[in-house]
DNA sequence: CCTGACCGGATTTTT
DNA sequence: TCCGGTCAGG
């Protein structure tokens, strides 16, 4: 009976994916094919059929938010009598934290179950400290580059030892920093994001009894977004499924967009090789989008060579044509988008609100500002996802750093963060002494501080300040036992003088930061109500993701395309479709990266249910300088018969007037071109300056680089953009360039 | 030790 | 443009 309800409304493929429960199963799920639904129903089915008890199922999702939603939906599917026990639905990282909080001390050494989690920020601080200690020049080897290289190496299973010996200086710098970084992490009893996965894998490998217990327990394992798993995640899955082999992975190779995070698309492409008994089911029926949108998506993704062909089909309506908007400037683009959005929502105001939700999707977070401003100008309420989420704000991280230090005084990242915040007279010189001592004796900052204090070698002023800080932390530590979290957080922000500091600033911004801290106290109160410990509170804060604070009923959502993965909206704007921005300039000369970028575009398109807008700004400020843009190559990959352009198409030069085409009122830039109505194609924009006869927008020919376009004229210098080769700067008077006829 | 002025370099995406 | 780092002066 219950089973019928569970399988009702599923198509044959989906049904098979739900009920094929013996052995490995690969579900290739196209965009909008009801993937989440399949996972939810599969879990409910396993429980309902008595194939597993709740604690025997592990489901892994990409975000905490997805996990929560999935859990809720499973319970909704089940009759009340079946709703027992705890279903484990988690992200890889939160699952690993669970395991490590139980077993990490098995390793012995400095690692204990009380470890601290270092986020990207903490990691960056530590890398910088290491560079300094090693006297490696930050200019020559940017900390971010080193950080990225180390993370990459770790995810590929490398250690400083396997990487040595180094041949070139860069690699040498990386390896040296890597080695010191790992030492310092261990000394601080800290784990970075990568460690969470790596150490869990190592733990299961090293201690068969632990592995045994988990392998035995998880009879059924489900992994969502499997195309985005990286090597440690793959290894973890392998380890966990050794016994029962009831692994179900769901994903879409065409939506693999996390290569930079070491995700390996081969994990899904070669699943059948990794699990020879595997069955494969393809969900190619799309329930989300109109035929037009799907046609665009199929056409775009077919340009990728490295893929397994899969055509999505839908029985949905043909739908409205895709709309293309070309705006003269990025500001105008934002205005046009918001205008179009309002008009669309107005036309559908008779529909339920859920049917009028819209998303503005961009490639980079930096683009969000323009759209926020445009929304504010029109009084449109919006929700911004990502960028600076609550737990990333400086004041929140400061408060959390205090809390971290209470639990683990050897947490160097936290120590450094707050030792002089608010300012308490502990300056660079004092800090240097502590740092030097810590480095010399391999101590944590905290222990080094205690030693330095005990020796009485500091000048009196510094000593007093330092002792005051140490006293403050010990005082707060004394309140740890038994006190509610909310009271503890309050004590931290009060006793540390943090609130007073904000009060004295008296600015609007300080006031908003004070309110954020108040909100943190509220969050702590809620954690108290859940019965959470400080440890759990901090873990959760470290592992929240951008999309976790997503608001489901927001009528307008702004976010990066990466954040939009797994979501859908009736109306979607994909903005900034310009060469160098999307696809991003950093990828255009790497074929594989470019294909990933195209998959990103594919993800963006397939978020749309009813209406899709693709937009471009003809000019955009980059580093505070106006640049002329080329339309994204991806735009040309969308079949032109299904796109309706408003405004001028650069390639055709034609002008289609419509209610949405822009007029002189939009973003007229300052300077000579200001008065000119901007309805002309980019190629004939008036120049904003001249040098040796070249004008902004001119097409030119260079002997080695080929054809290019003038994107900047200033100081007697010319910037020329060469497609695929980047922007080169020339001295205008001596530039070996010939002008090409205008198109 | 702290503040403010100045300069130079940077923007990809995130658990 | 904006942010972070450096340096001089209080």
């Amino acid at each position: 009976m219950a089973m019928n309800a569970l399988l009702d409304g599923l198509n044959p493929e989906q049904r098979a994916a739900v009920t094929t429960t013996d052995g490995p199963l690969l579900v290739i799920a196209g965009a909008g094919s009801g993937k989440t639904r399949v996972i939810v129903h599969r879990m409910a089915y396993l429980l309902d059929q008595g194939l597993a008890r709740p604690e025997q199922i592990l489901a892994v999702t990409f975000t905490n938010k997805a996990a929560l939603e999935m859990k809720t939906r499973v319970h909704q599917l089940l009759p009340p009598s079946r709703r027992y026990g705890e279903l484990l639905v988690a992200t890889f990282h939160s699952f690993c934290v669970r395991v490590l909080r139980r077993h990490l001390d098995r390793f012995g050494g400095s690692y204990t179950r009380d470890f601290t989690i270092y986020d990207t920020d903490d990691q960056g601080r530590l890398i910088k400290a290491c560079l300094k200690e090693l006297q490696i020049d930050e200019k020559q080897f940017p900390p971010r580059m080193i950080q990225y290289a180390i993370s990459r190496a770790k995810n590929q299973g490398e250690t400083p030892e396997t990487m040595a010996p180094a041949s070139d200086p860069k690699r040498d710098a990386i390896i040296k920093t890597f080695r010191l970084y790992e030492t310092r992490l261990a000394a601080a009893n800290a784990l970075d994001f990568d460690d969470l996965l790596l150490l869990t894998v190592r733990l299961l490998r090293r201690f068969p009894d632990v592995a045994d217990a988990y392998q035995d327990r998880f009879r059924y394992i489900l992994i969502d977004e499997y195309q985005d798993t990286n090597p440690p995640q793959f290894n973890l899955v392998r380890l966990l499924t050794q016994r029962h082999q009831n692994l179900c992975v769901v994903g879409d190779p065409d939506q693999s967009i996390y290569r930079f995070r070491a995700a390996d698309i081969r994990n899904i492409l070669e699943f059948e090789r990794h699990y020879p008994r595997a069955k494969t089911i393809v969900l190619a029926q799309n329930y989300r989008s109109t035929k037009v949108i799907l046609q665009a998506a199929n056409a775009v993704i077919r340009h990728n060579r490295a893929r397994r062909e899969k055509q999505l089909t839908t029985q949905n309506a043909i739908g409205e044509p895709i709309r293309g908007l070309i705006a003269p400037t990025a500001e105008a683009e934002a205005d046009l988008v918001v205008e179009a959005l309002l008009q669309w929502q107005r036309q559908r105001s008779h529909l339920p609100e859920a049917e009028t939700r819209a998303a503005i999707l961009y490639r980079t977070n930096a683009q969000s500002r323009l759209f926020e401003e445009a929304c504010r100008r029109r009084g449109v309420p919006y929700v911004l996802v990502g960028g600076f989420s609550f737990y990333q704000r400086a004041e929140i991280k400061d408060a959390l750093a205090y809390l971290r230090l209470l639990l683990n005084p050897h947490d160097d990242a936290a120590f450094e963060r707050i030792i002089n915040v608010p300012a308490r007279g502990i300056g660079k010189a004092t800090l240097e002494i502590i740092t030097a001592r810590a480095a010399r004796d391999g101590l944590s900052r905290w222990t080094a501080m205690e030693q330095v204090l005990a020796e009485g070698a500091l000048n009196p002023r510094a000593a007093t300040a330092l002792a005051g800080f140490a006293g403050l932390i010990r005082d707060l530590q004394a309140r740890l036992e038994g006190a509610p979290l909310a009271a503890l957080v309050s004590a931290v922000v009060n006793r540390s003088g943090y609130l007073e500091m904000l009060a004295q600033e008296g600015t609007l911004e300080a006031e908003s930061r004070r309110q954020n801290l108040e909100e943190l106290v509220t969050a702590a109160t809620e954690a108290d109500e859940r019965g959470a410990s400080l440890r759990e509170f901090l873990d959760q804060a470290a592992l929240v993701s951008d999309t976790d604070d997503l608001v489901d009923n927001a009528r307008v959502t702004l976010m990066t395309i990466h954040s939009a993965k797994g979501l859908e909206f009736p109306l979607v704007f994909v903005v900034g479709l310009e060469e160098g921005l999307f696809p991003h300039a950093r990828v255009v000369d790497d074929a594989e990266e470019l294909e990933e970028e195209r998959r990103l575009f594919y993800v963006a398109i397939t978020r749309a249910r009813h209406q899709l807008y693709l937009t471009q700004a003809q000019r955009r400020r980059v580093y505070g300088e106006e640049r002329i843009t080329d339309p994204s190559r991806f735009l040309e990959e969308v079949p032109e018969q299904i796109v309706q352009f408003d405004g001028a198409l650069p390639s055709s030069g034609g002008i289609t007037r419509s209610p949405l085409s822009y007029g002189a009122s939009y973003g007229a830039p300052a300077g000579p071109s200001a008065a000119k109505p901007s309805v002309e194609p980019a190629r004939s924009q008036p120049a904003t300056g001249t040098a040796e006869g070249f004008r902004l927008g001119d097409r030119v020919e260079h002997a080695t680089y080929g054809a290019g376009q003038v994107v900047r004229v200033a100081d007697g210098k010319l910037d020329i953009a060469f497609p695929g080769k980047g922007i080169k700067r020339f001295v205008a008077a001596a530039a070996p360039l010939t002008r090409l006829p205008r198109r």
Side-chain angles (χ1 to χ4, degrees):
Chain A
M1 195 95 68
M3 182 176 129
N4 280 340
L6 275 178
L7 300 179
D8 251 13
L10 298 178
N11 72 30
E13 288 78 32
Q14 291 175 330
R15 204 174 282 214
V18 168
T19 57
T20 307
T21 52
D22 52 326
L25 177 67
L26 167 64
V27 181
I28 301 280
S33 63
K35 169 186 75 156
T36 311
R37 198 146 177 251
V38 163
I39 299 177
V40 167
H41 280 250
R42 185 178 167 93
M43 276 193 276
Y45 180 82
L46 293 171
L47 293 169
D48 187 65
Q49 295 291 298
L51 291 162
R53 294 191 305 276
E55 68 275 14
Q56 293 175 316
I57 298 177
L58 169 65
V60 180
T61 59
F62 211 71
T63 65
N64 292 304
K65 158 111 178 158
L68 202 69
E69 185 187 323
M70 223 169 248
K71 223 192 280 196
T72 316
R73 284 177 58 179
V74 172
H75 282 288
Q76 280 168 356
L77 271 182
L78 292 171
S81 60
R82 293 267 179 196
R83 291 182 207 170
Y84 49 88
E86 258 302 292
L87 257 183
L88 189 48
V89 189
T91 65
F92 273 109
H93 288 87
S94 57
F95 172 73
C96 288
V97 169
R98 260 177 97 104
V99 173
L100 295 174
R101 287 261 177 250
R102 263 185 106 82
H103 304 290
L104 187 66
D105 45 3
R106 288 291 293 272
F107 282 117
S110 58
Y111 284 125
T112 74
R113 301 191 304 184
D114 275 327
F115 63 87
T116 301
I117 301 171
Y118 271 17
D119 67 10
T120 319
D121 217 77
D122 304 319
Q123 198 183 7
R125 276 164 199 275
L126 180 50
I127 299 266
K128 275 192 181 174
C130 290
L131 288 174
K132 198 165 173 203
E133 191 177 330
L134 293 166
Q135 297 183 5
I136 294 173
D137 182 18
E138 283 195 19
K139 292 265 153 52
Q140 212 179 340
F141 305 102
R144 283 184 60 99
M145 182 274 285
I146 304 261
Q147 186 175 355
Y148 182 77
I150 290 177
S151 172
R152 217 184 151 68
K154 287 176 88 159
N155 280 307
Q156 309 292 355
E158 302 244 45
T159 64
E161 286 64 44
T162 65
M163 287 179 82
S167 40
D168 63 307
K170 182 176 154 189
R171 214 175 144 76
D172 187 57
I174 293 170
I175 294 171
K176 279 194 180 126
T177 317
F178 190 3
R179 187 173 293 129
L180 186 61
Y181 171 75
E182 293 286 297
T183 316
R184 291 287 176 266
L185 265 186
N189 195 17
L191 272 56
D192 65 20
F193 281 146
D194 302 321
D195 286 334
L196 296 177
L197 302 166
L198 291 170
L199 286 184
T200 306
V201 168
R202 212 182 299 161
L203 179 88
L204 296 181
R205 287 205 173 128
R206 175 111 44 105
F207 303 104
D209 59 311
V210 180
D212 252 20
Y214 284 107
Q215 285 167 357
D216 198 48
R217 168 174 165 188
F218 296 121
R219 204 165 281 243
Y220 291 93
I221 294 183
L222 302 91
I223 317 280
D224 192 12
E225 308 283 11
Y226 191 68
Q227 77 280 356
D228 282 320
T229 49
N230 65 18
Q233 290 168 337
F234 172 80
N235 290 330
L236 180 60
V237 172
R238 281 225 92 138
L239 280 162
L240 288 175
T241 53
Q242 243 162 40
R243 169 101 25 101
H244 299 297
Q245 298 262 323
N246 288 323
L247 169 66
C248 169
V249 305
V250 185
D252 179 1
D254 291 333
Q255 295 186 60
S256 164
I257 54 174
Y258 280 95
R259 211 171 90 112
F260 68 92
R261 209 164 77 185
D264 191 344
I265 194 171
R266 285 175 305 181
N267 288 162
I268 190 164
L269 292 177
E270 295 171 21
F271 184 79
E272 287 121 322
R273 199 167 58 74
H274 302 139
Y275 294 88
R277 292 170 46 223
K279 296 186 186 116
T280 302
I281 291 169
V282 179
L283 308 178
Q285 159 103 322
N286 173 292
Y287 295 92
R288 178 183 296 157
S289 308
T290 65
K291 284 198 171 66
V292 160
I293 290 165
L294 219 51
Q295 189 187 339
N298 280 327
V300 164
I301 200 65
R302 280 191 55 192
H303 284 83
N304 274 4
R305 299 181 53 88
R307 77 181 274 268
R308 179 154 137 174
E309 172 68 16
K310 161 171 59 64
Q311 280 274 350
L312 289 182
T313 59
T314 185
Q315 292 176 16
N316 290 344
I318 292 177
E320 294 295 310
I322 293 163
R323 306 285 292 266
L325 295 182
I326 298 173
T329 65
E331 290 76 17
E333 179 194 32
D335 280 334
L336 281 178
V337 163
V338 174
E339 196 56 45
L341 189 155
L342 279 173
Q343 193 182 325
W344 190 86
Q345 288 189 331
R346 241 179 272 130
Q347 280 165 7
R348 298 168 67 96
S349 54
H350 57 285
L351 294 172
E353 215 166 89
E355 289 300 310
T356 66
R357 288 170 48 242
I360 300 173
L361 307 181
Y362 34 80
R363 178 63 179 80
T364 68
N365 275 308
Q367 288 164 265
S368 71
R369 209 196 78 239
L370 291 168
F371 291 91
E372 283 188 83
E373 285 168 2
C375 284
R376 287 212 201 104
R377 271 198 292 276
R378 295 301 312 254
V380 177
Y382 62 89
V383 170
L384 179 77
V385 175
F388 247 29
S389 81
F390 182 71
Y391 285 102
Q392 286 176 25
R393 290 167 202 278
E395 62 276 17
I396 301 301
K397 297 207 72 168
D398 288 341
L400 293 175
Y402 275 99
L403 295 170
R404 278 164 53 178
L405 209 57
L406 300 188
L407 281 184
N408 174 12
H410 307 298
D411 183 339
D412 283 349
F415 183 94
E416 258 177 60
R417 190 175 179 102
I418 52 150
I419 171 92
N420 200 33
V421 178
R424 48 173 72 88
I426 302 170
K428 215 166 72 180
T430 314
L431 218 50
E432 287 283 329
I433 294 172
I434 297 175
T435 309
R437 172 62 59 91
R440 195 193 72 188
D441 297 351
L443 305 170
S444 69
R445 301 278 190 281
W446 178 263
T447 313
M449 174 189 74
E450 284 180 323
Q451 281 195 9
V452 170
L453 265 178
E455 288 161 11
L458 292 171
N459 72 55
R461 238 178 48 198
T464 316
L466 210 51
F469 172 71
L472 169 70
I473 297 300
R474 290 204 191 93
D475 258 20
L476 289 166
Q477 267 173 344
R479 299 165 176 247
L480 266 179
E481 289 299 317
L485 281 179
L488 194 61
V489 177
S490 277
V492 161
V493 294
N494 280 305
R495 305 272 324 268
S496 67
Y498 208 101
L499 285 181
E500 203 186 306
M501 172 185 77
L502 291 178
Q504 282 192 353
E505 259 179 67
T507 62
L508 214 63
E509 204 215 316
E511 170 56 18
S512 117
R513 293 161 100 221
R514 195 191 56 75
Q515 284 175 7
N516 284 332
L517 288 172
E518 242 165 51
E519 218 174 302
L520 186 68
V521 176
T522 309
T525 310
E526 282 162 15
D528 277 325
E529 281 161 9
R530 287 198 307 272
S533 65
L534 176 57
R535 188 92 267 167
E536 287 163 333
F537 185 63
L538 290 175
D539 280 355
Q540 189 225 321
L543 295 176
V544 282
S545 63
D546 279 350
T547 39
D548 289 345
D549 46 1
L550 198 80
V551 180
D552 295 302
N553 51 15
R555 290 193 69 197
V556 179
T557 306
L558 274 50
M559 63 185 142
T560 64
I561 302 166
H562 280 90
S563 296
K565 189 169 80 153
L567 306 174
E568 62 174 40
F569 301 87
L571 171 63
V572 167
F573 295 85
V574 185
V575 302
L577 281 157
E578 296 140 36
E579 281 297 302
L581 183 58
F582 193 20
H584 197 274
R586 301 275 276 251
V587 314
V588 288
D589 37 281
D590 181 314
E592 277 184 48
E593 298 250 22
L594 187 66
E595 296 215 340
E596 168 131 331
E597 202 80 350
R598 187 176 283 109
R599 290 194 291 270
L600 193 59
F601 185 46
Y602 176 80
V603 168
I605 293 174
T606 53
R607 298 311 94 197
R609 288 174 55 204
H610 301 309
Q611 177 74 64
L612 175 66
Y613 273 85
L614 305 174
T615 76
Q616 182 213 341
Q618 292 176 312
R619 278 174 288 140
R620 181 179 295 276
R621 295 179 86 80
V622 184
Y623 301 149
E625 269 174 26
E626 193 108 308
R627 290 261 164 89
I628 303 256
T629 69
D630 272 329
S632 167
R633 68 191 74 189
F634 295 154
L635 274 177
E636 282 166 31
E637 297 172 2
V638 179
E640 55 184 320
Q641 3 18 310
I642 56 172
V643 188
Q644 179 191 328
F645 273 94
D646 295 310
L649 239 190
S651 53
S652 70
I655 296 168
T656 321
R657 274 281 180 190
S658 88
L660 285 176
S661 71
Y662 39 78
S665 63
Y666 280 110
S673 64
K676 190 132 182 172
S678 22
V679 285
E680 294 180 47
R683 299 302 178 272
S684 51
Q685 286 294 333
T688 54
T690 59
E692 307 331 296
F694 287 101
R695 296 195 307 168
L696 195 57
D698 278 356
R699 309 218 124 247
V700 295
E701 173 83 23
H702 183 272
T704 25
Y705 297 124
Q709 188 182 21
V710 179
V711 293
R712 177 171 178 257
V713 184
D715 299 344
K717 298 196 185 69
L718 289 172
D719 281 7
I720 315 288
F722 295 98
K725 299 182 190 72
I727 291 165
K728 315 280 178 203
R729 180 164 291 184
F730 298 90
V731 176
L737 299 163
T738 36
R739 184 172 308 137
L740 293 174
R742 286 163 176 273
R743 284 206 208 139

